[in-house]
């Protein structure tokens, strides 16, 4: 399974999130999108899921903090206890043994980040 993990500001729109996904440069088909559980109801995130017909995977804060991220954001570390919400969400949602396909990248408006991970069974 390939999961697109997202971190985003409350002002992020579906277009912001879509742009962040595009910035990963991957031509891979995504099977699900994920973010920290308290952001799964955000309008832009829900719109993206509906537009792409993808399931949403909610990642708990403890599961997010357990992930080892390739990139490090001081703001993300201070707010969420992880170097990258996008990377940690993608890895946690893709399951044990998941690996990053694309590290965290930002949308052009700076309101969203996205990373891709693949699970062992994919």
């Amino acid at each position: 399974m390939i999961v697109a993990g997202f971190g985003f500001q409350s002002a992020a729109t579906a277009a912001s999130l879509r742009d962040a996904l595009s910035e990963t440069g991957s031509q891979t088909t995504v099977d699900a999108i994920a973010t920290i559980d308290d952001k799964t109801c955000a309008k832009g995130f829900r719109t993206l899921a509906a537009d792409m017909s993808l399931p949403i995977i909610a990642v708990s804060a403890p599961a997010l903090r357990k992930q080892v991220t390739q990139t490090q954001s001081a703001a993300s570390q201070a707010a969420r206890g992880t170097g990258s919400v996008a990377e940690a969400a993608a890895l946690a949602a893709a399951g044990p043994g998941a690996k990053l396909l694309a590290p965290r990248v930002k949308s052009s408006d700076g309101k969203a980040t996205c990373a891709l991970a693949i699970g062992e069974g994919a």
Side-chain angles (χ1 to χ4, degrees), residues 7-29:
F8 53 92
Q9 299 172 8
S10 58
T13 63
S16 301
L17 297 163
R18 195 173 294 107
D19 182 55
L21 177 58
S22 174
E23 288 295 321
T24 67
S26 177
Q27 300 299 313
T28 306
T29 301

Side-chain angles (χ1 to χ4, degrees), residues 54-99:
L54 291 173
I56 291 173
I57 300 173
V59 178
S60 70
L64 205 72
R65 289 190 295 269
K66 288 180 185 177
Q67 304 304 313
V68 176
T69 61
Q70 183 175 323
T71 65
Q72 300 295 314
S73 159
S76 180
Q77 188 66 48
R80 299 294 187 165
T82 182
S84 167
V85 171
E87 290 178 14
L91 289 165
K99 295 185 170 128

